[in-house]
Amino acid sequence: METVKLTSPIDGSVYAERATATDAEIDATVARARAAQAEWAGTSIEERATYLLAFLEALLAMNDDIVPEIAWQMGRPVRYGGEKGGVEERTRYMVALAEKALAPFIPEDRPGFRRYLKRAPLGVVMTIAPWNYPYLTTVNSVVPALMAGNAMILKHAAQTLLVGERFQAAFDKAGLPKGVFQNIVLGHAQTEKLLGSGKIDHCNFTGSVAGGRAIEKAAAGTFMTLGLELGGKDPAYVLPDAKLDHAIANLVDGAFYNSGQCCCGIERVYVHEKVYDDFVEGFIAETRNYVVGNPLDQATTMGPMAQARFADFIREQKAEALRKGAVAHIGMTVEGDREGSPYLAPEVLTGVNHQMSVMREESFGPIVGIMKVRDDEEAIQLMNDSPYGLTASVWTTDTDHAATLGDRIETGTVFMNRCDYVDPGLVWTGVKDTGKGGAMGLVGYDNLTRPKSYHLREAI
């Protein structure tokens, strides 16, 4: 029997272990989803909303148990209270939006004909969810997919195995019809085989570029649709008129919250030469306030990274940057911070350039490089010098100028005076190696449905 083991970054123990599904179980899961979806698609939006809001209440009621579970699974400190705020915001918004998003479009009247366009469900949707924000990223696709009339199969990351079980328990508590939502445990080869079977109509994946390419390859020839959010190297640009205290506090948090393990985390900062020195001084001072340690301790503000190999990659990026002339400013002593350990101190580098991995390759950890720039032109050139394009933030008091700069930045989202946030009223999307598709908002519903035309000629 093959199993998936969840090794806790807190102490290296096996926190959970689950058997992977057999071929027969996979076939049965898909068959149940297909059968349940046909009936689910016939329910009203109002009825679906009742189930989804009941699911939300059931999930929120588990939060006291979920918070330490997250710490044990991927290392986020318990002091932050899990992800309930964002889960509730996104779920309620997408449920409320469904009636508008799924309403038929009726073109101009044509005598003798009844014409309209409906948003039809895709069928069976599979979400392959990541470990870094295990509840939020899952909600992004699960809630609108179900509201649109699809059946859902969830395969969660091995690092956060228990999250899928929490979703299943919450949907069961809500009384969702059997087969409409199913959690499943699969290995990589099993996942690829299922995607290539032609039995899945849409797959939503959040993860690495390599993972996204593997999914595209597995799905080739099936004509299934894909939503791929594959990470980023998100930049910030601080202009001379920025409110520095606000910018510093938010950019430090954007860089180091969740140990930097965020697709839209701040990984590189470009600061206008007029405010560079003051910004760097403040950024360093703010970073030194972090307390790295056991995430079960309420005093801890930064826990271990999810796996030791992720921390070792950050150590390698830092070492390469220092060899090439960068300067490290934090030098914090952290118990257990050594090669092969997931515990890692945050680091701020200056003297960096785009010949260094830390400014080009996704770090996904608690390290950030800060560069001085002369003007907007240099800042935009550097911001766009990346294979990724998820979000970018501009820090200024001039909204019109920020919007004009945003038009030139190759990114899915442009922020002004904030970062690291998913607005459910817009769309979460990216360009270049960040992937394709989009979650949240009206576009999120478009990507989880298909247009279906009705051209009805009245009786002659």
Side-chain angles (χ1 to χ4, degrees), residues 66-317:
I66 284 174
V67 170
E69 256 181 22
I70 291 176
W72 277 105
Q73 290 178 96
M74 54 75 64
R76 188 185 308 138
V78 295
R79 68 178 288 134
Y80 297 118
E83 300 172 14
K84 63 180 292 185
V87 165
E88 182 168 14
E89 178 188 28
R90 297 181 197 183
T91 299
R92 292 195 186 280
Y93 187 92
M94 293 305 287
V95 168
L97 182 64
E99 189 164 356
K100 176 182 178 181
L102 300 172
F105 168 73
I106 302 174
E108 72 282 356
D109 185 49
R110 179 174 293 177
F113 294 89
R114 182 178 173 190
R115 302 179 305 142
Y116 54 97
L117 179 74
K118 293 184 71 173
R119 303 301 314 186
L122 295 172
V124 177
V125 173
M126 183 174 183
T127 287
I128 303 174
W131 52 263
N132 62 321
Y133 284 89
Y135 286 88
L136 288 171
T137 52
T138 305
V139 160
N140 287 354
S141 59
V142 167
V143 170
L146 293 175
M147 284 301 301
N150 299 290
M152 167 61 67
I153 296 173
L154 172 64
K155 185 265 177 200
H156 222 291
Q159 194 68 44
T160 40
L161 270 179
L162 302 185
V163 176
E165 295 177 7
R166 289 288 182 184
F167 269 78
Q168 187 71 67
F171 277 118
D172 291 347
K173 179 74 172 178
L176 190 73
K178 298 297 183 183
V180 175
F181 173 91
Q182 297 173 88
N183 178 58
I184 193 167
V185 179
L186 300 173
H188 290 308
Q190 290 177 304
T191 302
E192 291 177 1
K193 182 180 178 181
L194 178 55
L195 291 176
S197 69
K199 297 177 181 179
I200 303 298
D201 299 300
H202 175 86
C203 177
N204 189 85
F205 171 75
T206 303
S208 68
V209 174
R213 288 181 175 141
I215 285 172
E216 281 199 324
K217 183 177 179 180
T222 66
F223 306 124
M224 69 187 295
T225 53
L226 296 174
L228 303 174
E229 198 263 85
L230 309 177
K233 189 69 183 174
D234 291 13
Y237 173 33
V238 182
L239 282 80
D241 65 339
K243 294 184 177 180
L244 283 191
D245 288 348
H246 173 81
I248 289 166
N250 281 271
L251 286 171
V252 169
D253 181 71
F256 299 126
Y257 183 78
N258 206 38
S259 297
Q261 298 168 130
C262 179
C263 297
C264 61
I266 296 298
E267 296 208 357
R268 50 200 177 107
V269 184
Y270 306 99
V271 185
H272 195 281
E273 59 187 8
K274 291 182 178 179
V275 293
Y276 176 82
D277 290 340
D278 289 341
F279 178 87
V280 170
E281 181 181 356
F283 197 98
I284 292 169
E286 184 77 13
T287 301
R288 285 179 174 149
N289 291 328
Y290 276 93
V291 177
V292 182
N294 189 320
L296 299 173
D297 187 338
Q298 283 288 340
T300 296
T301 57
M302 183 181 293
M305 297 191 70
Q307 295 183 23
R309 64 187 177 92
F310 302 151
D312 284 344
F313 179 72
I314 301 302
R315 294 183 179 104
E316 291 170 8
Q317 281 196 323

Side-chain angles (χ1 to χ4, degrees), residues 6 51 56 62 246 256 281 338 345 400:
L6 191 175
Y51 283 114
L56 174 63
M62 302 175 189
H246 173 81
F256 299 126
E281 181 181 356
R338 61 184 179 276
D400 290 339

